[in-house]
Amino acid sequence: MSLLRISPSSASVKALLAERAASAPPVVPVAHRGGIGGGVFLAPPRKNAQPSTLAAAAARAGVPETRPSDGQDFPESGVCRAPPLAAPASVSVAGKPWKTADARLVLEDGSIWRAKSFGASGTQVGEVVFNTSLTGYQEILTDPSYAGQFVLMTNPHVGNTGVNHDDVDTRAITRRLREDGSLIGVLSTEESKTDEELLELSRKWKIVIAYDFGIKHNILRRLASCGCKITVVPSKWPASETLKMKPDGVLFGNGPGDPYAVQTVKELVGKVPIFGICMGHQLLGQALGGKTFKMKFGHHGGNHHVCNLQNGRVEISAQNHNYAVDPASLPAGVEVTHINLNDNSCAGLACRELNLMSLQYHLEASPSPRDLDPGNVPSFPSRNLCSTPHWASRRG
Ligand SMILES: NC(=O)CC[C@H](N)C(=O)O
């Protein structure tokens, strides 16, 4: 086991940490199983795992020098310090069959735990809970009852590999959770997201209602990773019921066949921010008074060039549709924001006055590794479903 200093990267985060920093032991943990699509382990950057750092950190935290094997510190006193193990003369990670990445776990109390991850990448929001089991992590990490949560194993000795130089102590976070109760956390490997942004994600949920016409799970996953709390409703869910739920935004997603449910969309337009994907885009087009038509052979492929008319950038998109919105039929005030460069058909529209936008392609489908990720298109924040100001306003 080893320790890691909490290293806030900005004054504002420092301020948030100030109340707790004095008593918070400078430790970092291992977190398992984000909702990112697999297990995530955090391990500390190796440079922070030096015995001298550990000793100094322990002294600052006022933690007595005891080893976990003493068995005196936990759980009675909620001890959270690992012993200053003598590091092996040389420890190499070169032979590991996985890639590691810098990761951060940001809790809603303002604490930031920097470490290394392996496995899935991305950003995920979830409730952090701890599990004290000594064995059986396979069953724990695959238990669907943990959906929406991060599981923090208090026992660092998980699996059959023994304790090694990269393993870390999770008990500091556990102590915090025991004192304050379960906390919402954000686990992220995305360097483009600042600490402040991650902290905001942990504190503010956006309530999204997603109509299910056959919605793709990855759309929901990507929204969840932006800090959205999503309720999926059936395709015939009345607009009046949606409005009663006071959402920050409504998503009309993909689905088979000719667009339907236009009446529901009409009843919501102008009352709540709306985002449409693929069939949702066609529905919005019709609800605004436009017309859709059946294309000769449709668009089905993973390499359709789309021009974003707002910034002139060309995006490579995944497409799957047989119908398209006729731009000439759209009323004034509705802007065509994207066109398919193969045939100049409408690939996106927006109406700022009515707080809506839509795309005729699958931005969640990752045609290239991160092609349509907002972090890669910083000049166009509306690429981000969540940061688009006219799509989903923030909820405090
Ligand atoms: N991917 C989709 O949502 C398909 C939309 C619609 N069914 C079409 O074929 O045009």
Side-chain angles (χ1 to χ4, degrees), residues 254-257 278-279 282 320-323 362:
N254 61 292
C278 221
M279 191 160 85
Q282 299 162 4
N320 168 29
H321 58 104
N322 278 99
Y323 296 85
H362 287 277

Side-chain angles (χ1 to χ4, degrees), residues 58-69:
R60 275 197 303 281
V63 180
E65 292 267 336
T66 50
R67 286 177 176 269
S69 56

